[in-house]
């Protein structure tokens, strides 16, 4: 079974709502054969990443950067996962009160260093969430779950 890992730092009602929408999309009945594993950023490990077929990352934008918790996650998994996860599909959602640019840039820079493959553009929200924002998060979860299934199938064919 394919595995989608969702690593998040959920520090506000807005990031909680985004996470819930991503989870609903990832667990939709329209996507079959994908186990969805959720880890808080400070609890996620290299073992979690190595077992994943795709990753969704979620963070607030704090002082123009990703959350400290997500940065700790990257610091923890970077070298243990560097050689083994090249090409891993990932997606990102970010919430900010004023701007999300720096947080997106930082996450994408690290993901590029890991040679992960961005599956789709990030969902970024500034201010209050709208229905369209929640739908975008739902879609992010669903299509990244599909990416996990495709990645797992490609890995099976390669062996």
């Amino acid at each position: 079974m394919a595995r989608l890992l969702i690593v998040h730092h959920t520090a506000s009602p807005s990031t909680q709502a985004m996470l819930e929408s991503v989870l609903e999309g990832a667990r939709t009945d329209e996507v079959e054969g994908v186990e969805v594993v959720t880890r808080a950023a400070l609890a996620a490990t290299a073992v979690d990443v190595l077992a994943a077929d795709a990753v969704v990352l979620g963070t607030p934008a704090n002082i123009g950067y990703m959350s400290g918790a997500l940065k700790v996650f990257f610091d923890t998994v970077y070298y243990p996962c560097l050689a083994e996860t090249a090409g891993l599909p990932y997606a990102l959602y970010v919430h900010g009160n004023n701007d999300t640019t720096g947080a997106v840039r930082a996450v994408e820079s690290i993901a590029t260093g890991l040679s992960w493959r961005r599956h789709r553009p990030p969902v970024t929200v500034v201010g209050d969430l709208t229905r369209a924002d929640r739908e975008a998060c739902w879609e992010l979860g669903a299509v990244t779950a599909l990416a996990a299934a495709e990645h797992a199938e490609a890995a099976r064919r390669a062996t």
Side-chain angles (χ1 to χ4, degrees), residues 41-116:
L42 292 175
T45 66
V47 172
D48 293 321
V49 176
L50 292 167
D53 295 296
V55 178
V56 174
L57 304 164
T59 183
N62 290 335
I63 315 170
Y65 197 67
M66 74 180 96
S67 71
L70 194 62
K71 178 63 168 75
V72 168
F73 161 74
F74 278 127
D75 288 344
T76 302
V77 305
Y78 191 89
Y79 286 110
C81 295
L82 184 59
E84 300 296 322
T85 60
L88 185 70
Y90 83 95
L92 171 66
Y93 65 90
V94 181
H95 178 266
N97 290 326
N98 300 310
D99 185 31
T100 59
T101 307
V104 169
R105 183 175 48 249
V107 170
E108 289 186 338
S109 176
I110 295 169
T112 298
L114 285 162
S115 298
W116 290 1

Side-chain angles (χ1 to χ4, degrees), residues 107-130:
V107 170
E108 289 186 338
S109 176
I110 295 169
T112 298
L114 285 162
S115 298
W116 290 1
R117 181 179 51 83
R118 188 176 83 177
H119 183 64
R120 64 182 304 122
V123 173
T124 59
V125 178
V126 175
D128 294 333
L129 267 69
T130 65

